[in-house]
Amino acid sequence: MPLSGAFLQELEGIVGAGGLVRTFEGRLVYECDMHTFYKGAPDAVALPRRTEEVVEIVSLCRRERIPIVPRGSGTGLIGGAMAPVGGVMIGTNRMDAVLEIDLPNRCATVQPGLINLSLTRAVASRGYFFAPDPSSQMVSSIGGNVATNAGGPHCLKYGITTNHVLGLELVTGAGEVVRLGGKAADRPGYDLLGAAVGSEGTFGIVTAVTVRLLHAAEAVKTILASFTAIEDASEAVSAIIAAGIVPAALEMLDKLMIRAINEGTGAGYPKDAAAVLLIELDGPAAEVEAQGERAARICWERGALEVRVAADATERALLWKGRKEAAGAVGRLAPTYLLQDAVVPRSKLPAIMRELIAIGTRHRVQIANVFHAGDGNLHPLILYDDRSPDQLERAKAANEELLRACIEMGGTVTGEHGVGLDKAKNLPLQYGEADLNFMYRLRRAFDPDSIMNPGKLLPSHPACGEGFRPARPRVPDGAWI
Amino acid sequence: MAVSARSIGEAFVSIAGRDRVRDDTAALAAATVDGVQPRWAVRPASLEQLSRILALACDGRLAVVPRGAGSSQELGHPLSRVDVVLDLTGLDQVIEYNPDDLTVTVQAGISSGALAARLSPRRQWLALDPPGGAARTLGGIVATNASGPRRVRYGTARDLLLGVRFVQADGVVTWGGSKVVKSVSGYDVPKLMVGALGTLGILAEVTLRLHPLPEVERSWLALFENPRAAQALVERVVDSALQPSRLELFNARALAQASAESAGAGVAVSIGSVDEAVREQGERLKAIAESSAGRLVPLPEGFWGEVESAMAPLESSTVLHVASLADRLAGTIGAIEDAFRIVAPRAEVRLSGCAALGTLRVVVSGATAAETAAVTTRVRALVAEVGGSVVIARGSIELRRSVDPWGPVEPHALALMHALRDEFDPGRVLNPGRYVGGL
């Protein structure tokens, strides 16, 4: 859908020539996010600096019924920040100012393009931090974190993005600037703020975010325990939780992943280990000390091969090194992979690991696992060679089967990456027609003309679309005269 | 086509059984809300019954008022239409408790106390401690977004609600969220239901995140000459490595009711952790309190029970929920007390609040509706500067008629709320007119 010259001229009038990407090469940069499967370049990319410019862009697109795709740093993993049907992409990269830091009230207000880690860096010297820590935090934007309701290794204790967002300024699909929430708690009215976080740009574009800042923990202890069987590691996880310990992070790697990491970065995990458990505790020193000892003891009791405790920050970084480089390390095993993000109840970890092995065998694909064991959030990497169409098909089949297995165990199709284009088709696994219909109607309140990030977050199943009403319960006979 | 009252009543009976559909004088008097007597008091026994009752009510254009333990009946704009009071306490089952996952799914009518009894043998709990406590239903707590001192550490219902099954105004049973502790699949529908008074759907089941009970928990009370000194302590605690599980501020009147101590203001601090950490943090707290010109006394276990009764409203009391900012707390308390002193000198004002978050619960007795309305308006103007609010959480019909019980809502946000309400309950079946903006 090429945009008219007049439209582009109007767009340029809003953001200036320097804020508009029109060339083919320039637009190509924006054709996908980190899920490189899905490609679709926008017809133009606008890079506004101010809320007013965003309002004008949205109003212009609305007038012309041109789709809008919001984009932060493009580090999403779900095909969320790409333009399947073209249209105008609004990149928030130039909106990256810290608007206010208010330490007495422990919050900060920032523009959406600010990089996640930049905020923590801005307040670290005063002893504070911004808790959501997706692995992409060095490059991902806070606006993007809000859009996907991003998690991260430490959300086991601290919660995901939504638990840390106090307020939003949102330009809705109707072109209205609406302020949801704010520094003061308990605003009367529906929690539209809560609904907007994780709405993946389908309600509008976030132009400012007020987030909670937390006081940094006094002490941190990182423990690495390796096991000869993944069941033992899973049992250790359950035992730690049962002991009333809520670690800041509780991460697990399986045998294949351990091998890849050992061959790659040389994290030095024991060769015989079939599972590595990374436990991080933080809080007051005395608590961390006592709980750390107990967690280590639990690991020994569950038959750990080895338990290492980091003595200082350098050692801690070393223990995390392998985990952080996991996705890169699998490059040694296969040219590419499908990354999954499903969740099972934590207690189902041993069962789902057995199921994963069976699925891998059935479809003749290798599956390497790195996951947030503490909250049951799996990240299986299904390895394949993209030069072989057959391998890709098998990987896809394994992927679908895996999602189904997670749902059957009471889980969810995405724990922290989001839905995007990638998983829109999978939502019916988890939700019935009435549930999806409710979400469609919610979306329409914010975006009456369906211009905001079309095709994302919800499936385009006709039964869920416009005008559809789910079946109502039967009204007894005789109720009507 | 006209729908006759008699046939609707019979249809309710055919759905729920005769003993669950009451239209006798005593039952209707007990179910009266805001002085409006319903035509039926219905107590469904299952999700299916609830769904069919609502479908019928919707077709009959009836006004339905959901009710749990009945502790928030004096909240919101006074109702002018009440046809059915829907008593949800018959839906009181634990559907699924997964201690290893720290999650539980319950029917909305279960009481907080009954749930706690089920969880405590596993040393787990739901970290919500709203006033009125054990008797309240989970559905009521979620629908009114009620919270207590624990929110400083554990957050409120929005942070603990993972999934929700609700029945829309037209009877359609709908599910939102998930049953696991981490999920971002689709919109976060559960959040929309928190504090919505059932106006987007009546809560039938909730899935909640649980926490392990701390091994040891101890509390201390720091006493000060005035709220300003108390606020200074709060700031130092928050800016330290301490991790309090409660950090609750009291004015002199509340303090005198809840303890034998007499002081201008007090801050009660609870620390929950392993024994050595509690002891160590207690020492640090003592050092902070002493250097803040305060006096620290250890609290007996029964203190929080005393707080519960000290802050419980009398029959004629008004309860205001005031939200300001943490760094304005002392000023806000001063303004509230001053306003009552000027407007209603005979009023007794007990006040407690989650000091680190800037939220206050104000229990007023001995003030007329006009006096409380005047104070509400005054305090609203003050906290509006920081985007704060004053909500009448409990007040007489007269008070709630003379001043908006919710206060202003940002116009564009309110327009969206109207759009949602029009979409999901166009006939205004659920709690009509009661919510913000008369929704």
Side-chain angles (χ1 to χ4, degrees):
Chain A
M1 177 190 2
L3 302 170
S4 73
F7 180 88
L8 286 165
Q9 213 162 11
E10 274 194 73
L11 205 51
E12 191 177 308
I14 298 167
V15 290
L20 187 64
V21 180
R22 301 174 54 165
T23 64
F24 176 72
E25 298 74 22
R27 291 186 290 114
L28 215 53
V29 174
Y30 297 89
E31 72 171 352
C32 64
D33 58 16
M34 297 289 278
H35 196 311
T36 53
F37 241 50
Y38 302 108
K39 293 198 166 66
D43 297 305
V45 182
L47 302 167
R49 291 186 191 276
R50 297 176 301 114
T51 303
E52 296 73 21
E53 293 173 13
V54 175
V55 173
E56 286 182 47
I57 299 167
V58 172
S59 304
L60 174 63
C61 290
R62 190 177 180 219
R63 191 188 77 202
E64 304 292 328
R65 295 290 190 272
I66 304 283
I68 297 172
V69 179
R71 180 174 168 118
S73 299
T75 55
L77 296 161
I78 50 170
M82 44 74 70
V85 293
V88 173
M89 185 172 276
I90 299 183
T92 58
N93 317 62
R94 299 204 300 178
M95 299 179 77
D96 62 349
V98 174
L99 301 173
E100 188 197 19
I101 288 175
D102 178 359
L103 287 185
N105 294 306
R106 292 172 310 289
C107 61
T109 301
V110 303
Q111 285 191 305
L114 184 75
I115 302 304
N116 174 306
L117 202 56
S118 304
L119 178 56
T120 290
R121 287 197 175 129
V123 294
S125 66
R126 312 272 300 270
Y128 287 84
F129 73 111
F130 175 51
D133 65 336
S135 305
S136 60
Q137 72 178 142
M138 286 176 74
V139 281
S140 65
S141 69
I142 290 176
N145 299 161
V146 169
T148 55
N149 196 2
H154 291 84
C155 64
L156 175 60
K157 176 171 177 181
Y158 291 105
I160 57 178
T161 300
T162 190
N163 304 109
H164 300 276
V165 175
L166 301 174
L168 289 179
E169 180 185 79
L170 178 83
V171 179
T172 66
E176 305 272 13
V177 183
V178 50
R179 285 177 189 82
L180 307 174
K183 283 198 215 176
D186 300 344
R187 305 248 158 161
Y190 298 134
D191 188 358
L192 301 179
L193 172 69
V197 176
S199 62
E200 300 185 5
T202 62
F203 284 2
I205 309 242
V206 168
T207 48
V209 189
T210 301
V211 297
R212 193 191 301 285
L213 298 173
L214 296 186
H215 197 277
E218 179 183 36
V220 184
K221 191 186 259 312
T222 306
I223 300 167
L224 188 138
S226 39
F227 296 84
T228 51
I230 202 149
E231 280 80 6
D232 294 342
S234 303
E235 275 185 28
V237 168
S238 291
I240 288 168
I241 301 289
I245 301 172
V246 181
L250 197 47
E251 303 280 301
M252 211 190 307
L253 307 166
D254 78 348
K255 194 172 185 170
L256 190 55
M257 190 54 89
I258 293 166
R259 201 183 92 203
I261 291 169
N262 272 344
E263 287 173 9
T265 67
Y269 297 148
K271 271 219 299 287
D272 312 331
V276 160
L277 193 58
L278 195 60
I279 306 160
E280 188 154 285
L281 299 152
D282 68 10
E287 178 180 296
V288 167
E289 197 52 44
Q291 294 193 336
E293 271 172 34
R294 192 174 306 175
R297 197 163 63 236
I298 287 170
C299 291
W300 285 122
E301 283 165 9
R302 305 288 150 168
L305 267 178
E306 185 192 70
V307 178
R308 293 184 210 165
V309 181
D312 55 34
T314 316
E315 283 190 31
R316 195 161 68 238
L318 199 65
L319 295 189
W320 272 100
K321 186 174 154 65
R323 164 65 185 93
K324 293 205 162 160
E325 292 170 5
V330 294
R332 306 197 144 251
L333 301 178
T336 188
Y337 57 81
L338 292 178
L339 171 62
Q340 195 40 272
D341 174 44
V343 179
V344 291
R346 177 174 41 228
S347 57
K348 296 290 198 314
L349 278 177
I352 193 69
M353 292 316 293
R354 281 193 296 275
E355 188 58 33
L356 281 183
I357 292 165
I359 290 171
T361 309
R362 230 173 2 252
H363 295 279
R364 290 176 291 123
V365 287
Q366 282 195 306
I367 304 178
N369 281 289
V370 45
F371 50 93
H372 308 304
D375 40 31
N377 187 188
L378 309 174
H379 287 322
L381 292 96
I382 305 170
L383 311 180
Y384 70 98
D385 186 337
D386 52 355
R387 289 160 299 191
S388 153
D390 171 54
Q391 281 199 29
L392 171 61
E393 284 315 307
R394 280 187 277 128
K396 278 183 171 172
N399 191 34
E400 293 297 314
E401 209 169 307
L402 188 161
L403 272 183
R404 242 169 255 275
C406 290
I407 295 295
E408 272 165 29
M409 290 185 189
T412 172
V413 299
T414 169
E416 58 180 5
H417 294 170
V419 178
L421 192 64
D422 186 36
K423 286 196 167 160
K425 61 182 178 303
N426 301 126
L427 284 198
L429 286 176
Q430 191 177 343
Y431 296 110
E433 288 187 344
D435 315 337
L436 290 169
N437 176 263
F438 189 90
M439 293 196 227
Y440 271 100
R441 292 155 75 191
L442 170 60
R443 180 179 192 152
R444 207 160 49 200
F446 285 85
D447 178 28
D449 302 308
S450 308
I451 56 168
M452 291 309 308
N453 216 0
K456 315 291 174 59
L457 197 135
L458 288 174
S460 48
H461 190 270
C464 305
E466 192 92 27
F468 170 76
R469 290 286 182 277
R472 295 183 54 209
R474 195 174 60 85
V475 172
D477 299 333
W480 284 272
I481 307 300
Chain B
M1 235 184 308
V3 183
S4 86
R6 182 159 195 87
S7 78
I8 291 180
E10 282 313 305
F12 283 143
V13 169
S14 80
I15 293 168
R18 198 158 297 278
D19 56 336
R20 292 185 170 275
V21 181
R22 304 277 300 270
D23 58 3
D24 54 288
T25 318
L28 297 184
T32 294
V33 201
D34 290 337
V36 186
Q37 186 165 306
R39 293 151 74 191
W40 299 279
V42 185
R43 188 167 181 267
S46 67
L47 173 65
E48 200 220 336
Q49 287 184 6
L50 172 61
S51 156
R52 293 176 65 198
I53 289 163
L54 275 175
L56 180 62
C58 183
D59 285 347
R61 300 178 178 279
L62 304 181
V64 176
V65 175
R67 176 188 169 113
S71 41
S72 300
Q73 296 300 291
E74 294 173 65
L75 168 66
H77 292 284
L79 289 154
S80 51
R81 285 198 299 136
V82 183
D83 296 306
V84 181
V85 165
L86 210 48
D87 174 355
L88 295 159
T89 56
L91 299 171
D92 63 350
Q93 299 301 302
V94 173
I95 293 172
E96 196 180 344
Y97 174 30
N98 299 312
D100 290 344
D101 301 318
L102 287 165
T103 58
V104 70
T105 300
V106 296
Q107 287 187 314
I110 192 173
S111 72
S112 183
L115 176 60
R118 184 71 190 272
L119 305 178
S120 62
R122 301 295 301 253
R123 295 201 52 77
Q124 297 183 351
W125 66 306
L126 172 67
L128 278 172
D129 60 339
R136 296 181 75 164
T137 64
L138 263 303
I141 290 170
V142 171
T144 59
N145 193 17
S147 65
R150 302 275 186 193
R151 67 181 289 183
V152 66
R153 170 106 179 234
Y154 299 98
T156 53
R158 83 192 293 275
D159 301 293
L160 302 172
L161 184 66
L162 303 170
V164 58
R165 197 179 306 280
F166 57 99
V167 184
Q168 294 187 45
D170 59 1
V172 172
V173 178
T174 311
W175 167 260
S178 77
K179 289 192 172 183
V180 287
V181 293
K182 195 176 180 190
S183 173
V184 293
S185 51
Y187 297 118
D188 196 342
V189 171
K191 291 221 172 31
L192 270 183
M193 298 295 145
V194 175
L197 292 190
T199 54
L200 296 176
I202 293 186
L203 300 175
E205 287 171 28
V206 288
T207 299
L208 297 149
R209 174 199 293 270
L210 305 173
H211 282 88
L213 276 167
E215 250 164 67
V216 179
E217 183 171 66
R218 274 198 278 278
S219 301
W220 293 265
L221 181 62
L223 298 158
F224 299 91
E225 273 181 20
N226 54 51
R228 199 156 296 282
Q231 183 187 316
L233 172 97
V234 169
E235 281 166 5
R236 293 190 57 192
V237 169
V238 167
D239 200 27
S240 77
L242 297 185
Q243 286 190 344
S245 47
R246 295 188 188 99
L247 186 57
E248 194 77 357
L249 190 145
F250 301 94
N251 74 345
R253 200 55 88 93
L255 206 57
Q257 290 273 337
S259 71
E261 302 291 342
S262 131
V267 180
V269 188
S270 299
I271 306 274
S273 183
V274 294
D275 188 45
E276 46 273 54
V278 173
R279 218 169 325 120
E280 197 261 349
Q281 290 191 63
E283 289 301 316
R284 284 201 225 181
L285 178 64
K286 191 158 179 251
I288 294 176
E290 280 168 1
S291 69
S292 304
R295 184 160 63 86
L296 191 75
V297 295
L299 283 171
E301 210 144 286
F303 172 75
W304 293 101
E306 297 296 328
V307 169
E308 181 71 42
S309 11
M311 294 303 291
L314 304 171
E315 188 59 37
S316 61
S317 302
T318 299
V319 179
L320 305 177
H321 286 176
V322 180
S324 177
L325 295 183
D327 68 345
R328 300 254 185 144
L329 199 66
T332 308
I333 293 170
I336 295 168
E337 290 183 332
D338 283 349
F340 275 111
R341 207 169 293 136
I342 295 162
V343 176
R346 285 165 295 102
E348 192 212 48
V349 181
R350 286 169 284 158
L351 190 153
S352 72
C354 189
L357 298 172
T359 57
L360 295 168
R361 175 177 155 88
V362 186
V363 181
V364 186
S365 45
T368 65
E371 289 165 350
T372 308
V375 172
T376 301
T377 307
R378 250 175 129 116
V379 178
R380 261 184 197 151
L382 176 81
V383 297
E385 292 169 22
V386 293
S389 58
V390 179
V391 170
I392 299 170
R394 177 197 162 99
S396 66
I397 300 171
E398 192 188 352
L399 171 62
R400 288 177 290 133
R401 282 213 178 106
S402 57
V403 63
D404 183 341
W406 301 101
V409 175
E410 200 255 338
H412 290 302
L414 187 61
L416 283 167
M417 293 174 200
H418 270 283
L420 289 180
R421 185 86 158 117
D422 289 343
E423 179 67 41
F424 294 111
D425 184 12
R428 298 295 192 268
V429 173
L430 305 171
N431 259 334
R434 196 175 188 182
Y435 201 44
V436 297
L439 278 178

